[in-house]
Amino acid sequence: MKKVNVYIYSGIRTIKKTDGAAGYVLSYMTKKDIEATLSNIVYLEDVTRHEAELEVLNQALSRLNTKDIEIDIYTDSSYLTSALDLDWIHKWQQSG
């Protein structure tokens, strides 16, 4: 099973809507046991910090093209950790 580390960061520090940058880094070992990374920084307009963090996490996860992987997510966002630890994402999906 492939292991992927996902690092999420947002430069947006307010809960009010604003413009700013956020990004992710995907890190994994190739078949030849070489560490590879894939990253992206996006400029977002009129978003809250929480929206930015969710957006870059979604973008990062959408880059993964296999289902047989273990994912570790690293973030300083208590919003994202709560969403994952408390299963908010499943509840959001159920409510549409």
Side-chain angles (χ1 to χ4, degrees), residues 6-43:
V6 179
Y7 302 90
I8 302 294
Y9 181 78
S10 172
I12 299 170
R13 294 290 175 216
T14 177
I15 58 171
K16 295 180 182 179
K17 289 197 179 253
T18 188
D19 300 345
Y24 64 84
V25 175
L26 300 174
S27 173
Y28 59 94
M29 299 303 284
T30 66
K31 291 178 183 176
K32 295 184 179 182
D33 212 26
I34 298 170
E35 184 178 14
T37 60
L38 176 64
S39 62
N40 191 25
I41 296 173
V42 294
Y43 185 75

Side-chain angles (χ1 to χ4, degrees), residues 5-6 16 27-29 31 42 46 50 52 67 75 78-79 89 92 95:
N5 294 321
V6 179
K16 295 180 182 179
S27 173
Y28 59 94
M29 299 303 284
K31 291 178 183 176
V42 294
D46 197 34
H50 296 158
K67 294 181 192 254
T75 181
S78 60
Y79 183 74
I89 294 173
W92 293 339
S95 66

Side-chain angles (χ1 to χ4, degrees), residues 2 33-34 50 57 59-60 62 70 72 76 79 81 85-86:
K2 185 184 245 184
D33 212 26
I34 298 170
H50 296 158
L57 177 59
Q59 286 186 23
S62 71
E70 177 184 330
D72 288 329
D76 65 346
Y79 183 74
T81 56
D85 292 342
L86 301 176

